[in-house]
């Protein structure tokens, strides 16, 4: 209390001396304080308005960050974040993940491989029946799709869509995600041509890379921000660590930002 009074007194002294500099001396420099301490404290409200207002959040960088490589989508466009699961469907991991999502009342996007869809069409039907969004992730995870001809790229994406449609007739496939995020202008163009928005991501905890369960949760928490699209995997290897991290990841993202479904 005493120290606060001293600070305020010092502040008023500065103001008083500023007044002197303006040619309106209020007291001689040698005289004691003209006011007792209590009025000095009450003088603080007149000082407060000169405090600069808090800086407004920087909007431009956030707007730029919504766009990923080659104008692909990497943010949701709203405060809520989105979950995406790649490389499935997988008979061991996908059902467990769907159980978790249903329990948390959360919708996600599944970026599926044509070969996997062909092997497990019932899992794709369950994904759709439970209200999740589908994303084409190429026929067999071709990282080098960009080096093929436009015709070959188109054939790969079409074949995958046809397999998805065979599993779930008439289902919408609003997104395409290039394996490894290795986008090329031709891949982006073909996916748009086939009615799919190119979908990138903003948060990648590298769950595919033997990352431990706590580390996956930690990385997502550290990287996530309003509107993030989070990349995780329900296929492509042992996903027990991802499945282990998901309850924490889902509940904390839901609490902090909300989780939205990409459409
Ligand atoms: Zn993938």
């Amino acid at each position: 209390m005493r120290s606060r009074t001293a600070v305020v007194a010092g502040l008023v002294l500065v103001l008083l001396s500023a007044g002197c500099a303006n040619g309106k001396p209020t007291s001689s420099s040698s005289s004691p304080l003209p006011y007792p301490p209590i009025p000095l404290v009450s003088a603080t409200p007149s000082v407060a308005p000169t405090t600069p207002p808090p800086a407004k959040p920087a909007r431009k960088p956030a707007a730029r960050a919504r766009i990923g490589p080659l104008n692909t989508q990497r943010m949701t466009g709203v405060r809520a974040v989105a979950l995406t699961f790649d490389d499935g469907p997988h008979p061991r991991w996908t059902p467990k993940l769907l159980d978790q999502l249903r329990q948390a009342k959360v919708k996600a996007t599944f970026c599926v491989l044509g070969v996997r869809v062909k092997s497990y069409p019932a899992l794709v039907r369950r994904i759709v029946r439970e209200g999740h969004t589908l994303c084409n992730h190429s026929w067999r995870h071709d990282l080098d799709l960009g080096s093929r001809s436009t015709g070959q790229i188109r054939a790969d994406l079409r074949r995958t869509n046809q397999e998805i449609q065979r599993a779930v007739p008439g289902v919408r496939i609003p997104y395409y995600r290039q394996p490894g995020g290795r986008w090329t202008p031709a891949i982006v163009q073909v996916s748009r041509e086939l009615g799919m928005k190119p979908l990138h991501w903003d948060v990648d905890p590298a769950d595919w890379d033997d990352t431990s369960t706590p580390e996956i949760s930690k990385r997502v928490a550290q990287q996530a921000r309003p509107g993030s699209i989070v990349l995780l995997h329900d296929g492509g290897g042992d996903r027990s660590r991802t499945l282990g991290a998901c309850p924490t990841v889902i509940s904390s993202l839901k609490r902090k930002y909300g989780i939205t479904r990409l459409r």
Side-chain angles (χ1 to χ4, degrees), residues 2 4 8 21-22 36 38 55-56 68 73 78 81 102 104 111 137 148 161 169 177 194 203 211 221 237 239 258 261:
R2 184 176 297 171
R4 187 182 165 197
V8 172
N22 284 342
I38 290 181
K56 285 181 183 170
Q73 183 179 348
V78 295
V81 303
R102 182 159 60 182
C111 300
H137 195 39
R148 325 261 178 239
N161 278 354
R177 175 175 280 164
L194 297 177
V203 171
T211 308
R239 292 280 78 86
R261 177 193 169 184

Side-chain angles (χ1 to χ4, degrees), residues 86-87 137 141 233:
D86 288 16
D87 301 356
H137 195 39
H141 211 265
H233 294 78

Side-chain angles (χ1 to χ4, degrees), residues 33-163:
L33 271 177
Y35 305 110
I38 290 181
L40 284 178
V41 172
S42 71
T44 49
S46 66
V47 174
T50 65
T51 310
K56 285 181 183 170
R59 300 184 76 167
K60 274 193 173 174
R64 276 201 299 272
R66 283 179 58 177
I67 305 299
L70 294 174
N71 287 338
T72 55
Q73 183 179 348
R74 68 183 288 172
M75 304 293 280
T76 62
V78 295
R79 178 175 169 79
V81 303
L83 298 173
T84 62
F85 294 93
D86 288 16
D87 301 356
H90 191 286
R92 180 160 183 200
W93 314 113
T94 307
K96 288 180 178 158
L97 174 62
L98 286 167
D99 290 346
Q100 285 194 21
L101 294 169
R102 182 159 60 182
Q103 203 179 354
K105 296 189 172 70
V106 160
K107 306 298 182 196
T109 297
F110 286 81
C111 300
V112 296
L113 298 173
V115 282
R116 293 274 176 195
V117 173
K118 191 176 183 186
S119 300
Y120 309 106
L123 283 176
V124 185
R125 283 193 283 277
R126 185 178 164 192
I127 288 170
V128 173
R129 193 168 62 239
E130 299 190 0
H132 305 289
T133 298
L134 288 180
C135 170
N136 180 328
H137 195 39
S138 84
W139 182 255
R140 56 170 73 247
H141 211 265
D142 189 353
L143 290 165
D144 297 321
L145 195 62
S147 67
R148 325 261 178 239
S149 70
T150 302
Q152 286 172 312
I153 295 169
R154 191 179 294 116
D156 185 298
L157 271 55
R158 266 202 180 133
R159 185 182 182 193
T160 305
N161 278 354
Q162 282 164 0
E163 200 59 48

